[in-house]
Amino acid sequence: MSTPTHEREDESPGAIIGPDRLLAFGDAVFAIAITLLALDITVPGDLEAGDLGTALHRALSDIGAYLLSFVVIGVLWLSQHTLFHRVARLDSCLLYLYLALLAVIAALPFPTRLISEYSDTAAATAVYAGSIAAASGLITAMTLRLLLRPALATPGTVPRRLRIAVYEGLVMVTVFAVSVPLAFASPKVAQYWWLAAIPARAWLSHRVRSVPPRA
């Protein structure tokens, strides 16, 4: 007489938490990070009426850093939602990569403050660029994991789309990583170099999408 067998329940952290629950947690972290960015924009509260214009002018660097990081966090937020739209289940690797990403996002107000107050220094520019490169690299690594482990992806996920996302992520990582050593030669040149991510990503996306898929 044979003994009935039962499938072993998956009790890994990724299986227990689930993609939807993890994404909801991530959305909260992104929202808090953006809120903290806005809190850094302040002017002294005891100003004379004639000094307000000067104080607002001094706050322009804070506003510029806020807008820059808002755009960056917004792009990363959209990227993670695009990724999770294709995630059917988590494994430990995806889970820990995403937690590392949230750690970087939660800390972004610090390099943003650095680039606001010390934008003309190599150290502040390098720290900011390194943070963005790390965040982009973690999302790219998650996408690559999904590409290499199709069982984790939602049914019908096209590998070609994942490859395009990996290429686009590598552009962001390359641009910001290259600007780290460049910052020690010229912080301003390194900061302008960040703008190269926009046309480079658009060009690569167009080029890759224009190539006919393999039969």
Side-chain angles (χ1 to χ4, degrees), residues 163-181:
R163 286 195 294 269
I164 291 173
V166 169
Y167 295 148
E168 292 175 344
L170 288 175
V171 169
M172 295 292 292
V173 175
T174 301
V175 168
F176 281 93
V178 167
S179 72
V180 172

Side-chain angles (χ1 to χ4, degrees), residues 57-102:
H57 184 268
R58 290 176 178 171
L60 287 178
S61 62
D62 292 340
I63 296 172
Y66 162 77
L67 292 175
L68 173 63
S69 290
F70 183 91
V71 171
V72 169
I73 291 178
V75 170
L76 293 171
W77 179 77
L78 290 173
S79 296
Q80 60 128 18
H81 267 270
T82 300
L83 173 64
F84 269 84
H85 179 68
R86 297 167 178 151
V87 176
R89 66 183 184 89
L90 298 169
D91 65 354
S92 295
C93 182
L94 279 177
L95 174 63
Y96 295 137
L97 284 171
Y98 189 63
L99 290 177
L101 170 65
L102 295 184

Side-chain angles (χ1 to χ4, degrees), residues 109-152:
F110 172 67
T112 300
R113 190 65 183 172
L114 286 180
I115 202 69
S116 171
E117 296 184 355
Y118 306 101
S119 61
D120 57 343
T121 66
T125 303
V127 168
Y128 188 87
S131 300
I132 304 306
S136 300
L138 287 166
I139 290 184
T140 303
M142 291 179 66
T143 308
L144 184 60
R145 178 67 174 177
L146 206 60
L147 181 62
L148 297 176
R149 294 288 302 275
L152 301 175

